[in-house]
C-alpha cells in the first residue's frame, strides 16, 4: 500500500522545518454555510491535515467547548451524510489531508463499507474514532484498508507499552498522542510525564506522532522537540471562532 496522504503532508511540513499543523473543527460549525469558508481558510492558512468532527449526541471524550459546538451543529441538522455529501461536491479543493473524527455509532450505522467508499469519493483520507478500542476495530480497519484509508490510533499516558506495540503494528497515517487523561480542552500546562511516554511511542511507531488535547498555543510545544511531528488543536480554535474571530486569524498564530 502506498504512503498515506496524511503521512505525506506531515513529512512535507517536517521537510520545511516545522511541525505539521492539524486543526480540528466540528462539521457544520459555526453554521453550515460558514463551516466551508472556515475550512478553506484553515487550508489556505497552512493546515497540513484538517480533522473534521462528526457531531454526536453522546461525545464522551469531548470537553465543554467541543461538546457545545458539536451539539449546536446537531441541532442545526449536521450529520455524517451531510458532511460527506458536501465534501464530495468540493473534492479536490483542499491541499490539506482530510480526516473525519467521530464516534463509532454514526460510522457503524452508516455502514462501514459504504462509509469507506463514500469517504474516498469525498476526498477523505482517514478516520479517528475515540471510542473504538483496538480489539473491536477489525471491521472498520478492514473497510478502510480496502479503500486505502487510514484508521488513526489514539494512545496516551496510560497506554501500556504492550498495547502501544499492538497499535503500532497496524498504524497508518499518524498516531494521535493524547496529552492528558480526560476530555479535550485548553490547558495552561501539560503533564510533565508526557516526554517520557512520547519517547516510548517514538521508539515503537514508524508513522509520525501528533500531539493533541489541551493544546492552546505554540509555546507549549517547545518542550517536546523532535519527539512530536505535528500538533492538533481544536478547543482553542473553536473558542476563537465562537468569540467572533476567524480561522484565518487563528492560523496566523501558528505559522513560523
Amino acid at each position: 500500500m502506498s504512503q498515506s496522504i496524511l503521512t505525506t503532508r506531515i513529512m512535507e511540513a517536517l521537510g520545511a522545518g516545522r511541525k505539521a499543523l492539524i486543526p480540528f473543527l466540528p462539521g457544520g460549525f459555526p453554521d453550515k454555510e460558514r463551516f466551508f469558508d472556515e475550512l478553506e481558510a484553515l487550508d489556505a492558512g497552512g493546515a497540513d491535515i484538517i480533522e473534521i468532527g462528526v457531531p454526536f449526541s453522546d461525545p464522551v471524550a469531548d470537553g465543554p467547548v467541543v461538546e457545545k459546538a458539536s451539539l449546536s451543529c446537531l441541532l442545526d441538522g449536521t450529520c455524517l451524510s451531510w458532511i460527506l455529501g458536501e465534501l464530495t461536491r468540493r473534492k479536490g479543493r483542499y491541499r490539506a489531508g482530510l480526516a473525519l473524527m467521530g464516534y463509532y455509532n454514526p460510522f457503524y450505522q452508516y455502514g462501514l463499507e459504504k462509509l469507506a467508499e463514500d469517504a474516498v469519493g469525498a476526498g477523505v483520507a482517514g478516520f479517528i474514532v475515540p471510542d473504538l478500542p483496538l480489539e473491536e476495530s477489525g471491521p472498520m480497519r478492514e473497510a478502510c484498508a480496502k479503500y486505502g484509508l487510514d484508521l488513526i490510533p489514539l494512545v496516551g499516558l496510560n497506554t501500556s507499552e504492550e498495547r502501544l506495540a499492538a497499535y503500532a503494528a497496524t498504524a497508518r497515517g499518524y498516531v494521535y498522542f493524547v496529552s492528558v487523561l480526560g476530555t479535550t480542552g485548553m490547558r495552561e500546562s501539560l503533564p510533565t510525564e508526557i516526554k517520557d511516554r512520547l519517547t516510548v511511542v517514538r521508539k515503537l511507531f514508524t508513522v509520525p506522532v501528533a500531539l493533541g488535547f489541551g493544546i492552546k498555543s505554540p509555546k507549549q510545544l517547545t518542550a517536546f522537540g523532535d519527539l512530536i511531528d505535528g500538533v492538533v488543536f481544536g478547543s482553542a480554535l473553536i473558542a476563537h471562532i465562537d468569540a467572533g474571530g476567524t480561522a484565518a486569524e487563528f492560523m496566523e498564530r501558528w505559522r513560523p
Side-chain angles (χ1 to χ4, degrees), residues 74-206:
L74 278 179
L75 292 173
D76 198 28
T78 302
C79 63
L80 178 57
S81 294
W82 179 83
I83 292 171
L84 287 170
E86 292 299 314
L87 286 175
T88 299
R89 290 177 51 207
R90 297 167 173 81
K91 186 179 180 182
R93 287 192 190 181
Y94 311 108
R95 176 197 169 273
L98 302 181
L100 294 186
M101 184 170 188
Y103 296 91
Y104 189 54
N105 184 282
F107 295 147
Y108 180 77
Q109 294 295 330
Y110 193 92
L112 299 180
E113 178 88 11
K114 177 174 169 53
L115 174 69
E117 183 178 8
D118 289 355
V120 170
V124 171
F127 295 92
I128 304 166
V129 191
D131 63 340
L132 182 61
L134 178 66
E135 293 80 4
E136 298 174 21
S137 65
M140 187 161 188
R141 191 175 303 283
E142 290 170 12
C144 286
K146 181 177 178 180
Y147 289 89
L149 298 167
D150 301 333
L151 185 57
I152 309 300
L154 286 105
V155 302
L157 293 170
N158 60 344
T159 308
S160 69
E161 188 162 344
E162 180 182 11
R163 194 166 180 80
L164 286 173
Y167 273 114
T170 59
R172 274 183 52 84
Y174 58 99
V175 55
Y176 189 138
F177 186 88
V178 178
S179 64
V180 296
L181 298 176
T183 58
T184 61
M186 296 171 284
R187 289 167 173 83
E188 295 300 328
S189 61
L190 297 173
T192 55
E193 62 267 33
I194 290 178
K195 289 183 70 173
D196 290 340
R197 208 71 199 141
L198 280 171
T199 301
V200 177
V201 170
R202 176 64 84 191
K203 178 180 71 174
L204 294 173
F205 283 83
T206 57

Side-chain angles (χ1 to χ4, degrees), residues 44-68:
D48 299 289
I49 295 169
I50 302 172
E51 296 178 357
I52 299 172
V54 179
F56 184 54
S57 57
D58 188 21
V60 294
D62 294 339
V65 174
V66 176
E67 180 176 10
K68 178 185 175 185

Side-chain angles (χ1 to χ4, degrees), residues 233-249:
F233 41 83
S235 295
L237 171 62
I238 293 167
H240 177 78
I241 293 174
D242 212 23
T246 66
E249 294 166 350

